[in-house]
Amino acid sequence: MLDPVTRPPGSLALRCSRALLSPWSRLSLLAVLLLAAGTTVVLYEPQRLLAAGWPPQMSGVGAVVLFGLAYGACTAAFVPRPILNLAAGALFGTQAGLVAAVAGTVLGAGISFTLGRVLGQDALRPLLRGRWLKAADGQLSRHGFRSMLAIRLFPGVPFAAANYCAAVSRMGYGPFLLATGIGSIPNTTAYVVAGSQAGSPTSPAFLISMGFIVVSGLAAATVAWRKRHGLRATPPPATTEPERVLTGAGTGPAKEH
């Protein structure tokens, strides 16, 4: 009689750990985290900073640092950056508000990028099919700094969406964060100045900043429209030799001329 097969100790724990660390389990965890973050934003309404202001007991450099940290967490939780930029200018003025806003922008982008890279990349990369998705992934992977700099300079692409899309690509941390910091300065400055001058809507600084916001938005819409039509006009890639072998194309005998 054959002896019963004994399973090695710890095999159940090993299978459970593999299941919990699988790509789809990590993606599910990312979805739960983002849902919880969005719910928290809806409940606590951070945009009330524009009306209620910063707690009076907090001031100075510590308040700017704390605002920058809160800014980063809020952007990772899908709070619109224009609201936070206006609040930074209204609370701390142009210079300190700009420092807090740019630092918070880079921090929030880094948080989102890390979450997307660790929890979502392995599950989502196999789903990158279709001409547009492959073209966007190739652009971000091969020309990460240049592509992300263009995205940050021209508003229109949601900040959080750009972060998570970049995380799914093969872009590195360095180019992503550097392009985010540099590319976010012009538009962030415009909003911070507008927030600091909100009490004087007829001042030249306020009018110039609002004009810059409108012009940059129109330019972004124009560039997006042209890129969209360019992608539509791009022919599909030629079939490579391995694909032709797999599909059976070209396997017949060559014709002699």
Side-chain angles (χ1 to χ4, degrees), residues 12-39:
L12 179 60
L14 181 60
R15 291 198 302 271
C16 291
S17 63
R18 287 178 177 175
L20 291 176
L21 295 177
S22 66
W24 286 102
S25 296
R26 284 179 284 154
L27 181 62
S28 300
L29 176 60
L30 177 61
V32 171
L33 290 175
L34 296 182
L35 180 61
T39 303

Side-chain angles (χ1 to χ4, degrees), residues 239 241-252:
T239 305
E241 189 62 31
E243 291 174 341
R244 294 169 63 184
V245 172
L246 290 174
T247 56
T251 55

Side-chain angles (χ1 to χ4, degrees), residues 10-95:
S11 60
L12 179 60
L14 181 60
R15 291 198 302 271
C16 291
S17 63
R18 287 178 177 175
L20 291 176
L21 295 177
S22 66
W24 286 102
S25 296
R26 284 179 284 154
L27 181 62
S28 300
L29 176 60
L30 177 61
V32 171
L33 290 175
L34 296 182
L35 180 61
T39 303
T40 303
V41 169
V42 172
L43 292 177
Y44 286 93
E45 300 179 354
Q47 62 270 20
R48 288 182 297 179
L49 280 173
L50 290 174
W54 195 252
Q57 63 271 21
M58 295 182 180
S59 59
V61 178
V64 175
V65 173
L66 183 60
F67 182 87
L69 295 174
Y71 187 116
C74 287
T75 54
F78 304 107
V79 176
R81 287 181 60 249
I83 294 177
L84 298 173
N85 292 334
L86 291 171
L91 295 173
F92 304 110
T94 300
Q95 296 181 355

Side-chain angles (χ1 to χ4, degrees), residues 157-177:
V157 179
F159 183 73
N163 296 335
Y164 290 109
C165 288
V168 176
S169 72
R170 292 190 173 92
M171 182 188 304
Y173 271 92
F176 173 77
L177 294 178

Side-chain angles (χ1 to χ4, degrees), residues 120-183:
Q121 187 188 48
D122 291 341
L124 293 178
R125 279 204 65 81
L127 303 179
L128 295 177
R129 300 170 183 172
R131 182 189 301 173
W132 284 21
L133 290 177
K134 288 184 177 180
D137 175 65
Q139 188 71 17
L140 290 173
S141 298
R142 292 191 300 269
H143 310 289
F145 177 81
R146 185 177 67 187
S147 301
M148 188 53 56
L149 184 65
I151 290 174
R152 301 308 192 193
L153 285 174
F154 293 99
V157 179
F159 183 73
N163 296 335
Y164 290 109
C165 288
V168 176
S169 72
R170 292 190 173 92
M171 182 188 304
Y173 271 92
F176 173 77
L177 294 178
L178 184 61
T180 296
I182 297 175

